[in-house]
């Protein structure tokens, strides 16, 4: 078994938009170095100032160096049948796989990460960065931030790790389909193995324990592992994986509850790597306001940030149809509701729904009472129900409580608690903020699964 211990220097942090400026490969047979390769490479793009300052490699040094395509075959031949070893292996491997692929070579190697191996075989150290390990383990410091020097330091570290591996841990990692091959450098395999195979929400946290991503899953463990498969070389994915230092989760009874909790947590925590649910809002709302003459007016308008409409809609047509129904039922004025620019009452015609408010023949108090009645009717017509489903175990049920069209909360209760006892249900229900996205999820699920819906009559509770 031969190991290829690799270090590269690059023009930036991700392969798809950056080039390799230097590469060093040390071949290790498990006991000693048996071959080495080191070369400067012309990346075809300028080296950023901060990279020049870090590595000491300049554009002038690379002017006569070969391009990666010119040396791709010899690099591929060195790596193809070896075990690829590097400190934070996914970084080096993603660069070489991407650039070898661009040159027509498909790199497929088993990998070993000396960061991950160090955490397992040298526990209790203050840091596992290569620079800190050099100091803590008295490894030769020659040429830091150059491929040859860092590869040599990694080789010394790897030899030490091999000598400490008395229980065959490295062999376990190298087994086909080993999870160690997939995981980011800062995540221990036991942390993933402890994740449950049930619906729920998971949280990726960074080195400072800040949540950087929230996700939902039908099977938490399987979904978390799916984040770590493949070799995407883009900046966003590479930085994302490097920043994951711990994983937490909250099991849920159902996938729907996981959807809801994910939406709530994204709004609460605002993680840097979540995007889609941050933007969701329904487009239109039904608003009520008082005009300068003292008349209450209803109107359908685009949603305004931080506004509280009586009801929200996905389309203007949906909102207009609801408003037309209120006009007819409560004899409201189409002009005061912005449905028409004039109405029969404006022209003195005694027909239609308007009783003359727009023409000043009906006092604001009388008209406003009908508007308030319409708003109250709208609130009363919104459904109240429980959505009952399986719990997290066989001795409980999950419930989602909808109260007058809004989600009150969700939780888990014993089968002995009667569902008709709303106060008892509320006592075991955790309240969550409701929004249009969550309401849509619940109503769509309820319409598809009417057998899970328990209607509630809360009219007597309206104050």
């Amino acid at each position: 078994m031969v190991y290829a211990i690799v270090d590269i220097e690059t023009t930036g942090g991700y392969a798809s938009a950056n080039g390799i400026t230097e590469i060093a490969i040390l071949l290790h047979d498990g006991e000693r170095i048996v071959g080495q390769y080191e070369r400067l490479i012309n990346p075809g793009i300028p080296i950023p100032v901060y990279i020049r300052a870090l590595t000491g490699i300049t554009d002038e040094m690379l002017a006569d160096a070969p391009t990666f395509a010119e040396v791709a075959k010899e690099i591929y031949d060195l790596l193809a049948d070896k075990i690829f070893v590097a400190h934070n292996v996914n970084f080096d491997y993603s660069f070489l796989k991407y650039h070898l692929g661009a040159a027509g070579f498909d790199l497929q190697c088993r990998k070993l990460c000396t960061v991950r191996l160090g955490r397992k075989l040298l526990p209790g150290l203050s840091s596992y960065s290569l620079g800190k390990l050099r100091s803590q383990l008295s490894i030769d410091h020659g040429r830091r931030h150059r491929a040859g020097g860092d590869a040599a330091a990694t080789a010394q570290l790897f030899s030490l790790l091999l000598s400490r591996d008395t229980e065959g841990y490295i062999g376990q990692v190298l087994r086909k389909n080993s999870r160690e091959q997939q995981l980011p450098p800062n995540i221990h395999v036991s942390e993933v193995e402890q994740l449950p195979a049930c619906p729920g929400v998971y949280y990726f946290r960074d080195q400072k324990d800040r949540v950087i991503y929230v996700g939902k899953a039908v099977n938490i463990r399987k979904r978390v592992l799916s984040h770590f498969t493949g070799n995407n070389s883009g900046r966003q994915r590479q930085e994302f994986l490097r920043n994951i230092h711990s994983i937490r989760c909250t099991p849920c009874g159902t996938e729907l509850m996981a959807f809801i909790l994910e939406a709530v947590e994204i709004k609460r925590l605002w993680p840097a790597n979540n995007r889609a649910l941050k933007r969701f809002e329904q487009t239109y709302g039904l608003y009520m306001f008082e005009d300068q003459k003292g008349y209450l007016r209803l109107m359908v308008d685009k949603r305004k940030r931080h506004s509280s409409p009586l009801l929200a809609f996905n389309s203007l047509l949906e909102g207009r149809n609801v408003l037309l129904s209120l006009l007819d039922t409560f004899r409201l004025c189409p002009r005061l509701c912005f449905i028409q620019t004039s109405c029969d009452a404006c022209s003195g015609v005694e027909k239609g729904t308007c009783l003359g408010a727009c023409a000043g023949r009906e006092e604001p108090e009388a008209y406003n009472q009908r508007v308030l009645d319409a708003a109250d009717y709208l609130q009363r017509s919104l459904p109240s129900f429980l959505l009952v489903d399986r719990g997290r175990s066989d001795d409980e049920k999950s419930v989602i409580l909808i109260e007058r069209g809004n989600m009150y909360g969700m939780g888990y209760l014993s089968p002995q608690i009667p569902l008709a006892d709303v106060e008892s249900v509320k006592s075991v229900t955790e309240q969550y903020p409701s929004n249009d996205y969550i309401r849509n999820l619940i109503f769509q699920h309820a319409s598809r699964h009417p057998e899970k819906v328990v209607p509630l009559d809360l009219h007597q509770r309206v104050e």
Side-chain angles (χ1 to χ4, degrees):
M1 185 181 296
V2 178
Y3 305 91
I5 299 171
V6 180
D7 191 86
I8 59 173
E9 302 301 330
T10 69
T11 62
Y14 59 104
S16 60
N18 289 282
I20 296 171
T21 59
E22 188 176 34
I23 183 171
I25 302 172
L26 301 179
L27 301 181
H28 193 295
D29 66 359
E31 296 183 0
R32 64 186 185 279
I33 301 297
V34 295
Q36 62 183 41
Y37 175 91
E38 185 174 355
R39 184 179 286 279
L40 291 170
I41 297 173
N42 188 334
I45 56 176
I47 302 174
V49 172
Y50 71 95
I51 297 289
R52 295 203 302 267
L54 180 69
T55 65
I57 299 174
T58 65
D59 294 327
E60 291 73 22
M61 291 170 59
L62 305 181
D64 297 325
T67 65
F68 187 88
E70 291 172 331
V71 295
K73 186 179 187 309
E74 58 192 64
I75 292 174
Y76 176 79
D77 289 341
L78 283 169
L79 299 176
D81 56 349
K82 313 299 190 304
I83 295 170
F84 192 108
V85 181
H87 205 70
N88 191 4
V89 70
N90 288 329
F91 174 82
D92 301 79
Y93 189 80
S94 69
F95 260 89
L96 286 167
K97 183 172 179 63
Y98 178 84
H99 287 285
L100 284 170
F105 300 94
D106 181 22
L107 182 65
Q108 296 290 342
C109 292
R110 288 182 292 170
K111 297 177 289 182
L112 287 174
C113 178
T114 51
V115 177
R116 297 187 58 77
L117 294 178
R119 290 182 186 277
K120 176 67 175 180
L121 301 173
L122 303 170
L125 299 180
S126 60
S127 172
Y128 291 87
S129 71
L130 188 57
K132 295 291 185 182
L133 288 173
R134 279 174 152 177
S135 300
Q136 294 176 98
L137 302 175
S138 300
I139 292 174
D140 180 26
H141 280 245
R143 294 197 305 161
R144 292 187 62 181
H145 301 301
R146 291 295 299 270
D150 286 347
T154 303
Q156 291 183 54
L157 172 61
F158 185 61
S159 293
L160 176 61
L161 293 169
L162 286 171
S163 70
R164 296 290 184 92
D165 185 24
T166 58
E167 297 182 1
Y169 176 72
I170 291 175
Q172 296 173 26
V173 173
L174 290 173
R175 286 202 311 263
K176 188 176 182 180
N177 298 324
S178 167
R179 284 177 179 157
E180 293 275 7
Q181 295 282 326
Q182 304 173 7
L183 300 183
N186 299 306
I187 296 297
H188 194 276
V189 68
S190 62
E191 193 167 3
V192 174
E193 289 175 344
Q194 291 170 7
L195 294 172
C198 69
V201 170
Y202 56 92
Y203 307 79
F204 291 154
R205 295 174 178 268
D206 66 9
Q207 191 170 16
K208 296 182 178 179
D209 207 36
R210 295 174 300 198
V211 175
I212 59 173
Y213 184 80
V214 175
K216 63 183 179 301
V218 177
N219 181 320
I220 295 175
R221 187 190 307 152
K222 184 176 180 180
R223 180 68 184 98
V224 166
L225 284 170
S226 74
H227 282 281
F228 309 141
T229 58
N231 291 289
N232 187 317
S233 57
R235 176 184 61 84
Q236 181 180 335
R237 175 178 166 78
Q238 293 301 316
E239 289 184 356
F240 175 59
L241 295 178
R242 282 197 294 269
N243 286 334
I244 300 173
H245 282 253
S246 65
I247 306 169
R248 302 289 184 272
C249 73
T250 300
C252 295
T254 66
E255 182 183 11
L256 175 62
M257 297 179 86
F259 268 99
I260 294 170
L261 183 58
E262 178 201 38
V264 169
E265 292 291 68
I266 288 173
K267 289 289 187 181
R268 181 177 73 89
L269 299 168
W270 213 249
N273 291 277
N274 288 97
R275 289 171 177 79
L277 290 183
K278 290 179 179 179
R279 297 190 295 267
F280 180 88
E281 290 292 347
Q282 283 185 294
T283 311
Y284 295 91
L286 177 63
Y287 294 93
M288 180 170 64
F289 67 95
E290 184 177 320
D291 68 13
Q292 293 179 342
K293 296 181 179 180
Y295 290 95
L296 289 177
R297 306 186 70 169
L298 296 176
M299 68 178 296
V300 176
D301 198 7
K302 286 188 175 181
R303 285 291 299 271
K304 304 172 181 64
R305 186 177 292 273
H306 307 306
S307 66
S308 299
L310 298 174
L311 199 60
F313 312 101
N314 288 321
S315 69
L316 180 61
L317 178 61
E318 182 185 357
R320 182 182 174 88
N321 288 339
V322 170
L323 186 51
L324 286 172
S325 175
L326 295 177
L327 291 180
D328 185 59
T329 303
F330 294 93
R331 303 203 69 183
L332 303 182
C333 174
R335 181 181 178 191
L336 293 186
C337 293
F338 301 94
I339 295 294
Q340 299 171 190
T341 56
S342 64
C343 72
D344 293 328
C346 299
S347 306
V349 179
E350 298 298 329
K351 63 179 181 178
T353 62
C354 182
L355 299 180
C358 58
R361 296 200 302 274
E362 183 180 22
E363 293 299 318
E365 292 77 9
Y367 181 79
N368 290 350
Q369 186 57 55
R370 294 204 306 282
V371 175
L372 293 172
D373 290 343
D376 182 62
Y377 167 81
L378 194 62
Q379 293 300 308
R380 285 174 173 268
S381 66
L382 295 174
S384 296
F385 60 88
L386 290 173
L387 201 55
V388 183
D389 211 325
R390 67 181 182 274
R392 297 161 298 185
S393 62
D394 294 337
D395 58 354
E396 68 179 14
K397 296 178 181 178
S398 67
V399 290
I400 299 172
L401 173 56
I402 298 295
E403 199 170 43
R404 301 181 193 93
N406 286 305
M407 184 184 75
Y408 174 87
M410 59 186 185
Y412 304 91
L413 71 161
S414 165
Q416 281 72 44
I417 296 178
L419 296 175
D421 185 353
V422 177
E423 293 306 319
S424 294
V425 171
K426 281 188 173 183
S427 70
V428 296
T429 299
E430 185 172 353
Q431 283 189 265
Y432 289 104
S434 183
N435 61 35
D436 304 323
Y437 173 77
I438 290 173
R439 283 192 294 270
N440 277 353
L441 284 177
I442 294 171
F443 288 134
Q444 289 172 13
H445 190 84
S447 67
R448 290 196 300 267
H449 302 281
E451 74 281 0
K452 299 178 182 179
V453 176
V454 178
L456 300 174
D457 183 5
L458 301 182
H459 287 177
Q460 71 273 19
R461 297 168 56 84
V462 178
E463 298 178 358

